[in-house]
Amino acid sequence: MHNSNSPDDRGYFGDYGGRFVPDTLMAPLLQLEQAYAELSASSEFWREFESMLTQFVGRETPLQYAARLTEKLGGAKIYLKREDLAHTGAHKINNAIGQILLARHMGKTRIIAETGAGQHGVATATAAAQFGMKCVVYMGAEDMARQEMNVFRMRLLGADVVAVNAGSRTLKDAVSEAMRDWVGNIADTHYLLGSALGPHPYPRMVRDFQSVIGREAREQILAQEGKLPDTVIACVGGGSNAIGIFSGFVNDKDVALIGVEAGGTAIAAGEHAARFAGGKPGIFQGMKTYILQDNDGQASPTHSVSAGLDYTGVGPEHAWLHDLKRATYTNVNDDEAVTAFHLLARTEGIIPALESSHAIAYTIKSAPAMKGKTIIVNLSGRGDKDIGIIQKYDGARK
């Protein structure tokens, strides 16, 4: 699979990316890089991947014209890329299938993963069950409390869900714990990292598996509108759904790419997860990228109503696109995301994930001033998992 925005031989997108890991992880990362290089050059591998996406994941997902939301906002014509309709309810399954096929090729029999909102954990548990592999998912204890239903779903699929009580008990701590497991079990274990971040080759590999979103969206908007969109909008936690859809348009300079981070309750230390609003370049969990950090360079606490966006760093390709000014990164706060959640439910009959609600919230702000323009919003997941959070949030707002 070719992408003109691939990293260099050391895994750098411009100044970002790389492989900052202890010696014990270098050998498995080099093995992974070599295995992916072999497989990504194989047309047979991509045929099997695409067959699984069609037969098991249910692709292609629709590009839906959001007629009532468009009418309500009175500006740009709005389309929704419906990744919420993929099997397991989120874009995460695309990457899980790709990495499971890679793990099988490498002779691995045990899969480990980390998860924040639980969608990546569910996708990994689902793919592991489909291929008969053992599966362990690390999850922050705080996130397990916020996402009980997804914890139950993972266990139904046969996964062992391990609570992480270190640090802030959220996604960054789950990533650290998964890396520790990998160091001790390299012989039979593949670490199925869930977003386009971490040490090389993960950011490129995950981007390649998620680029199916952008390819489909590009073909679909050309078929429906006869032209490219003016703007593509996606939420950004680690950034896998955003980099997936951006990849379909990144070489089209007239298409604006907008990434929406979690503004939390305020752009103040510990109150948000907007890395481009309060972070700076540093080294974090095996990569160089923008991170929220204190004066000593230590990762700062974060907050978001959405567990899937509540992460200290961001994928290195996003850091590169930011510095190149090819993509623009903004943020919306918790209240705006929850309001968008309700508006999409009532205008389109779609209950979105809280992550995707951040992208919808920015669309609500920008679309009224874009009369005659066209927007695609990547609806990265469905909101069943977030209904309990919404109930509590709405109760507190009354």
Side-chain angles (χ1 to χ4, degrees):
M1 178 171 291
H2 174 73
N3 190 305
S4 60
N5 295 294
S6 293
D8 66 19
D9 292 341
R10 299 176 305 144
Y12 278 84
F13 297 90
D15 289 334
Y16 304 101
R19 193 157 37 206
F20 296 86
V21 295
D23 291 345
T24 48
L25 276 181
M26 282 303 291
L29 284 170
L30 291 171
Q31 181 192 33
L32 183 62
E33 181 183 19
Q34 182 178 353
Y36 182 63
E38 292 170 0
L39 273 189
S40 62
S42 163
S43 55
E44 183 179 346
F45 168 71
W46 291 113
R47 277 197 297 274
E48 183 175 14
F49 176 62
E50 289 168 8
S51 175
M52 286 297 297
L53 293 186
T54 301
Q55 301 296 328
F56 187 64
V57 174
R59 302 202 73 90
E60 64 182 39
T61 60
L63 181 69
Q64 176 190 335
Y65 172 50
R68 293 195 64 231
L69 183 63
T70 296
E71 181 182 5
K72 173 81 174 175
L73 298 179
K77 198 170 182 180
I78 300 166
Y79 285 84
L80 304 172
K81 181 57 176 165
R82 297 291 309 276
E83 290 302 293
D84 59 310
L85 293 180
H87 182 40
T88 72
H91 72 290
K92 294 292 188 182
I93 189 70
N94 305 317
N95 171 56
I97 291 294
Q99 288 200 47
I100 283 278
L101 292 175
L102 178 60
R104 187 185 63 174
H105 170 78
M106 297 171 68
K108 308 293 184 181
T109 57
R110 178 175 179 264
I111 300 297
I112 59 170
E114 83 300 325
T115 194
Q119 292 287 33
H120 171 57
V122 170
T124 301
T126 299
Q130 170 70 202
F131 285 88
M133 293 187 178
K134 296 177 183 175
C135 182
V136 177
V137 179
Y138 291 94
M139 191 169 187
E142 173 72 17
D143 290 338
M144 287 182 72
R146 289 195 283 186
Q147 299 291 345
E148 288 182 17
M149 189 177 74
N150 271 342
V151 173
F152 186 58
R153 290 172 73 192
M154 285 182 266
R155 287 173 172 158
L156 284 176
L157 291 158
D160 181 12
V161 184
V162 179
V164 178
N165 286 294
S168 58
R169 308 193 306 162
T170 58
L171 180 57
K172 72 177 178 60
D173 310 296
V175 172
S176 297
E177 203 59 36
M179 285 186 170
R180 272 190 281 274
D181 181 316
W182 199 26
V183 168
N185 298 283
I186 283 168
D188 67 345
T189 298
H190 173 67
Y191 176 19
L192 205 162
L193 207 157
S195 196
L197 48 78
H200 179 62
Y202 282 107
R204 174 189 178 171
M205 197 165 65
V206 176
R207 188 275 312 278
D208 288 353
F209 291 139
Q210 295 294 5
S211 65
V212 63
I213 305 170
R215 287 198 306 278
E216 285 182 6
R218 197 174 195 283
E219 293 171 3
Q220 290 167 325
I221 196 69
L222 286 172
Q224 293 183 56
E225 285 287 323
K227 62 177 184 178
L228 294 175
D230 296 285
T231 302
V232 175
I233 301 173
C235 66
V236 179
S240 65
N241 90 90
I243 212 67
I245 195 165
F246 286 1
S247 69
F249 303 94
V250 72
N251 294 323
D252 302 303
K253 303 302 182 187
D254 292 334
V255 178
L257 307 177
I258 308 292
V260 186
E261 297 185 295
T265 54
I267 302 300
E271 299 296 325
H272 69 105
R275 290 64 49 97
F276 293 113
K280 58 185 179 182
I283 307 299
F284 183 63
Q285 292 186 329
M287 61 183 169
K288 180 183 179 184
T289 189
Y290 277 74
I291 63 172
L292 294 168
Q293 56 189 297
D294 61 23
N295 291 333
D296 296 322
Q298 299 299 308
S300 297
T302 54
H303 163 78
S304 172
V305 68
S306 167
L309 302 185
D310 197 356
Y311 184 63
T312 308
V314 65
E317 190 169 356
H318 286 292
W320 185 47
L321 293 176
H322 170 269
D323 282 9
L324 290 174
K325 302 188 186 304
R326 177 61 193 95
T328 300
Y329 296 85
T330 184
N331 62 82
V332 301
N333 64 36
D334 288 350
D335 272 347
E336 291 168 328
V338 172
T339 298
F341 176 99
H342 286 297
L343 182 62
L344 193 69
R346 292 176 184 180
T347 57
E348 295 295 338
I350 298 169
I351 296 176
L354 270 171
E355 292 87 341
S356 311
S357 300
H358 286 68
I360 297 294
Y362 182 75
T363 304
I364 293 170
K365 288 183 174 183
S366 58
M370 295 177 63
K371 195 86 176 175
K373 305 292 187 181
T374 303
I375 293 173
I376 295 177
V377 184
N378 197 31
L379 211 61
S380 57
R382 71 185 186 211
D384 313 35
K385 66 186 178 58
D386 295 320
I387 285 176
I389 295 172
I390 294 293
Q391 284 179 316
K392 291 178 183 176
Y393 199 94
D394 288 346
R397 284 206 295 192
K398 288 179 181 176

